[in-house]
Amino acid sequence: MLLHIPNILSPEEVATAQSLLVNAPWADGRASAGSQAQAVKNNEQLPHDCEAATQIRALLMRGLDRNPTFFSAALPKHVFTPRVNRYSGASNFYGNHVDNAVRFAPDTGQRVRTDISCTLFLTEPDAYDGGELVVQDSAGPQRVKLPAGSLVLYAGTSVHQVEPVTRGARLACFFWIESMVRSQEQRQLLFDLDTHLLSLRQQHGETPETTGLTGTYHNLLRMWADT
Ligand code: NI
C-alpha cells in the first residue's frame, strides 16, 4: 500500500509549523539511523524534545486523530514519536535504505514495530527542487512529493530514498506506526472494505446490506486485530 492523505494539517497549522522551524536547533540526522542507513543518510533533524519538535508533534497528532482515512488505513496500535527533518544545502539527501524494524521510543523505551512508514510534508513542492521520496514497491519506483500538510503512508518493508534537494529546503515530519493488524494483505482488505462501505452509505444511506457488511468489517477486524 502507498497512500496519499491530503489535509492532515490545515494551511494555518502548516504556517504555524513553518514559523516554529525558522530558528530551530537542527542537528545531524545520522544520530537516529541504523548502521546501513547511516552510511547513506545526509540530512538534519530536530532533537525530539526541543520546543519546536514538541509543538509540531502535537499539531500532527491532533491532525491524525481527526482523520478517519488515516485510522482506516493504518489501524494504529502505536505511533512512534514523530520527528522533524530538513533537507537543504549540503545536507540534502537520504539514499536507499529500509527503516529499522523495531524502534525504541526516546522517553519510555517502548518498542514499536515499524509496520507503516509515514511522511508529512511541511513545505510546498514549488519551494524546493528535488527531494522526492522514492518508494520501491511491487509496481516499481513510486515518486512522491506532496503539498504541505499532506501525508504519505507506505509499507515499512519498502526500500526507499529521498533524492537530493538542489534548491530551497524540504521540511517534513516522519514517523512509524505499529498497526493492530500486522499483515499488509489483511490491512489492505479491511481498508478496501471500509472505503467501499463508506461510498455505499453515501449513495444509498443505511440499508440492511450496509449494516450487515459493517458487521463483517468489524468481525474481520476482531479476528485479525492485536490490541
Ligand atoms: Ni527511511
Side-chain angles (χ1 to χ4, degrees), residues 25-32 41-46 83 91:
W26 294 103
D28 190 327
R30 276 172 282 222
S32 71
K41 186 174 187 182
N42 180 24
N43 69 354
E44 294 172 296
Q45 287 173 196
L46 289 186
R83 303 285 298 262
S91 301

Side-chain angles (χ1 to χ4, degrees), residues 4-15:
H4 300 179
I5 305 180
N7 305 317
I8 291 285
L9 297 187
S10 69
E12 295 73 26
E13 290 169 325
V14 168

Side-chain angles (χ1 to χ4, degrees), residues 133-173:
L133 170 68
V134 184
V135 180
Q136 306 292 335
D137 81 0
S138 52
Q142 308 293 311
R143 301 171 62 80
V144 183
K145 187 171 184 175
L146 300 182
S150 294
L151 182 72
V152 59
L153 272 61
Y154 56 100
T157 51
S158 314
V159 172
H160 58 279
Q161 64 170 312
V162 175
E163 292 185 332
V165 170
T166 55
R167 175 186 64 90
R170 174 197 193 271
L171 302 169
C173 265

Side-chain angles (χ1 to χ4, degrees), residues 5-76:
I5 305 180
N7 305 317
I8 291 285
L9 297 187
S10 69
E12 295 73 26
E13 290 169 325
V14 168
T16 301
Q18 288 173 347
S19 67
L20 284 165
L21 293 173
V22 172
N23 289 312
W26 294 103
D28 190 327
R30 276 172 282 222
S32 71
S35 54
Q36 185 275 327
Q38 267 186 16
V40 293
K41 186 174 187 182
N42 180 24
N43 69 354
E44 294 172 296
Q45 287 173 196
L46 289 186
H48 82 274
D49 52 356
C50 77
E51 183 61 23
T54 303
Q55 288 197 36
I56 290 170
R57 189 153 57 240
L59 283 175
L60 169 62
M61 297 307 282
R62 281 201 295 276
L64 297 179
D65 274 348
R66 66 188 176 221
N67 193 291
T69 306
F70 170 77
F71 186 85
S72 176
L75 296 169

Side-chain angles (χ1 to χ4, degrees), residues 203-215:
Q203 290 174 56
H204 305 292
E206 189 68 25
T207 65
E209 289 75 17
T210 56
T211 304
L213 287 171
T214 300

Side-chain angles (χ1 to χ4, degrees), residues 94 97-99 117 133 154 158 160-161 174 176:
Y94 194 165
H97 64 282
V98 174
D99 298 333
S117 298
L133 170 68
Y154 56 100
S158 314
H160 58 279
Q161 64 170 312
F174 63 101
W176 295 274

